[in-house]
Every structure is written in structure tokens, then in C-alpha cells.
Amino acid sequence: MEYEYTRKNYFKEADEQERKAIFDYAEGYKQFLFTSKTERGACATAVELCRERGYRSYMFGDKIKAGDKLYFVNRDKNIFIIRIGTNDVEKCGIKIMAAHVDSPRLDLKPNPLYEDGGLAFFKTHYYGGIKKYQWPTIPLALEGVVVLRGGKRVSVNVGDDEGDPIFYITDLLPHLSQEQNELKLGKAISGESLNAIVGAMPDGAEEKEGVKAAVLKLLHDKYGITEIDFQTSELCFVPAGKPRDVGFDRALISAYGHDDKVCAYPEMTALFEGDGKDTVMAIFADKEETGSQGVTGMQSRVILDLMDSVSRALGADPILVRYNSKCISADVCAAFDPEYASVYEKRNSSYINCGASVTKYHGARGKASTNDASAEMVGYVRDALEDNGVIYQTGELGKIDIGGGGTVAMYIADLGIDTLDMGVPVLSMHAPYEIISKADLYSMHKAMLAFVNKH
Ligand code: MN
Ligand code: MN
């Protein structure tokens, strides 16, 4: 009998075969992540993976039956993958896993293009919580869509293919930074200064035209767009490049957008691999980083309509289905960082390699603005994890009075659904390149699978 609780290191617990499984799983994730930098990218990639496995598109009102494999794409930015189980959905409810697939980045302003000092720039308005000083002098890719007159959509994706150009925000040379160095970290780089270079060559054929005109001409040649079309576009700069292994032992992965694709991917693979008994729904939500508002965010009615529609199609009472449903709000948490130990409370932090972390509550200032899961709900998930030998841990975000944060958990709990936060610990969260552990990633997959298969 073990009386004392100690956190376990998953790599220490894993035998050779398990370590191989951990590393193999990470390769699939890295591939998924590279094409899922934005919510649109993540949805498109998920649709591809669903179709490969025989899933079909669902629309409200469609007829469905046990065993059906479905996905519902909400405006290309939010996807619900649904696997109809053989168990009575009224009695067993729906097993929901909700992650988000939007990540902090630099969106283009509606009128982004200007010329100054012989250079052409795009002006940006950052999306989500960023530390602005981290974005200058790194390679950026441009991604998104432009909607032309009449509704035709043009996709843009420049900077991630080998041989593509990248985009770049400058910073001041140290020789002239005396004044800048005196500024506070949060003030040294302003939002309005996050403008990326997009061109530097005036049009040679018509000498009087500058760089801006030359860039517009290039854009028209390649995409058929003119300057006003930016006003009907969603374009953003994201860090360029592929996920990379970190360290001599390759235990960690550095990449853009782990928050929260590192939870979205495991909930999807768990749904695919589940036993098919309970009805399962994996959600890739949009807009979490700006508060979950809007038609593709988790505060939208779409989830409610979808659950109602599916329930009715199965001849079940939607109210009972909802009441008996359970949800894992699958979102990342802060990993303990020994370089910044003072902001963490050591006994209640999440540690790299110690597995996916259960977070009973987030919030700030005395648990404000959070879902605080019940002991019963935490107990339910604990049983699922321990019955399946999942290495997991429990943590809080950081010290009580230092700050805080939130997830989509409270919006789902507000629908009357028992919800618990759980996710992969991240180092340098919200930085252009974040770090996670392959062991924690695989632990998340096993945790979600244990949740899906608990009856
Ligand atoms: Mn998140
Ligand atoms: Mn976040």
C-alpha cells in the first residue's frame, strides 16, 4: 500500500516498447501541426484525416444511426467530429472533448499595405495574448483567405514551403537602443510597430511607381486581388517553419501553436481509436485566445444545436442527453520552468514529462471566471486514467496572486455538462515557438482514450 503521492516521470516508467510508442505518436502529431497553424488549417487537416477513415459530412437534420462516423464543419474554422456509439445516448450521454485550434498570431489590419523608407509593409493587429518583443526578427509565414467580389475565395500560404520567401519584422540595432533599453519589457515594442516587410523592389518598368505599387502588381498577378480585397480577407502572420525536436535525446518538440493543437490532435486520435460504445464528440474550437466569443467560438450556440440535432436524430431527449454528457476541456497548462521558478507553486505545478495534467480550476483572484470541476467529476476521470495505467499529474496555472487564465471549460459547463480541464504542459506558452514533451503528448492521447472507453 502506498500512502504517499508522488508525481511520476513518464519516461522513467516507460519500457522500451512504450518509449517507441511515445516517439512514433509524436511523428503523426508533428505532421498534423505543420498544416494546422491556423484554425482553418486545422479544420482542413482534420477533414482530410476524417475522410481517410470513412467519416462523412453531417448537416442539421440528417438521418443518423449507431456506428455512424460524422463531422460537422462550422464555417471552416470550427469542427465537430462525431462518432455515434452503440450505447443508449439518452442514458450514457455524449463524451465530449473540446480543444481549440486558434493560436496567438499577427492578423493583418483591413488596410494593411503601406510604403515607408523604400520598403513595403503589412500592418498587423495581434490576435490573442502575445509578448510583443518575441515577434520581431523571426521568420514569418503569411496564411489565410481573401474573399473577392462575388464571394470567390482565394487561399494564401507563403513562407512554409521550402524555397518560399518569408516575412520579417525589424528590431533596432543595439548600437542605437539606449532609449529602447530603458523601456519596460511590455512597452519596448508597441502593437503598432509590429509591421512586417513584404517587399523592397520598385517596379522597374514604370520608374515613378514605388514599392507598394510593385507589391500590389505581384499580388494581382499571383492571386487576382487588388488593394480593396484586403478588407474582405482573413490573413495572418504565423511563425514560419516545421516542428523540430529539441535536445540530444529528442524528448521535446518545439513548434508554433502547441496551444492548443497538442490537445486537439490527441482528442481526435482517441475518438478514432475508441471502442465505439459511447457516442463521442471531439471539438476543435476557434476564438479561444480572444475569449471564445463569435460564431465559431465555444460561446456560440452551435454546440447546443448540434447536440440537439444529433439527439433528436437518434430519437433521444436532448435535455437528458446533455445532462448525462461529460466533457474534458482539453487545453494546455503551464509547465514548471526552473528558470522562472518564483511564479510557480512547486507542489501544485505541472511538470514536463509527468504526463497530461488535470486542472480542477483555472481563473484568477480567488477562482473567478472558471469552471471549478466537482470532486465527483475529477474522481470519474481519475478512475478512467488509473484503470488504464495512464501516467498523469495534477496542477494549477501558477502562484495565486501572480496572474491567471481560462479555457473553454466554463462555457461547456454552463450548458449543464460536467466538465474537467486536462491538458499537456507547455514551456514558453504563447511564444512563437513553444515546447512540449513527447511523453506528455502521448499521455494525453492515452488519457483521452481512457475517458472515451470508460463505461
Ligand atoms: Mn489554450
Ligand atoms: Mn492560449
Side-chain angles (χ1 to χ4, degrees), residues 10-25 442:
Y10 191 3
F11 276 125
K12 276 190 189 164
E13 301 293 317
D15 58 20
E16 205 176 308
Q17 197 187 343
E18 185 83 356
R19 283 195 181 197
K20 187 178 180 310
I22 288 171
F23 277 82
D24 287 350
Y25 184 83
Y442 193 55

Side-chain angles (χ1 to χ4, degrees), residues 35 38-45 75-77 101 144-145 153 234:
T35 54
T38 64
E39 58 277 3
R40 287 179 191 269
C43 285
T45 308
R75 298 162 172 96
D76 288 344
K77 293 159 69 158
V101 288
V145 296
R153 231 166 27 165
E234 274 183 332

